[in-house]
Amino acid sequence: MQGTLHTRSSPIERAKQELLVIHANDRAAHFATDADALVAYHAESFIDVRNGAIHYISREDVRQNFALL
């Protein structure tokens, strides 16, 4: 139907909203010092490149390091 206002959001807008929810959850977990919630959306492992060095970090390593803080 021409001229009808569509209320469905675009795939880009839905992805943006999903990322904003993940970001808000990460912030809440960080401020609550909840290590398990903080890594809930992390991949099983990821690559950290910092100061000219490459490190492979597991989700469990991140959880343990954050729990020590």
Side-chain angles (χ1 to χ4, degrees):
M1 174 185 265
Q2 294 264 343
T4 303
L5 179 63
H6 295 283
T7 58
R8 292 184 181 179
S9 59
S10 71
I12 292 172
E13 189 59 33
R14 285 192 303 272
K16 179 180 173 183
Q17 291 306 313
E18 289 175 20
L19 288 172
L20 288 172
V21 167
I22 291 170
H23 178 66
N25 290 341
D26 282 350
R27 285 178 50 88
H30 186 269
F31 292 134
T33 62
D34 184 345
D36 292 327
L38 185 69
V39 299
Y41 293 102
H42 283 204
E44 193 59 42
S45 66
F46 59 95
I47 300 170
D48 177 49
V49 180
R50 188 181 317 175
N51 298 327
I54 300 171
H55 303 278
Y56 294 90
I57 303 172
S58 72
R59 179 180 7 192
E60 182 60 23
D61 289 340
V62 172
R63 191 193 67 70
Q64 288 178 0
N65 288 336
F66 186 77
L68 295 174
L69 297 177

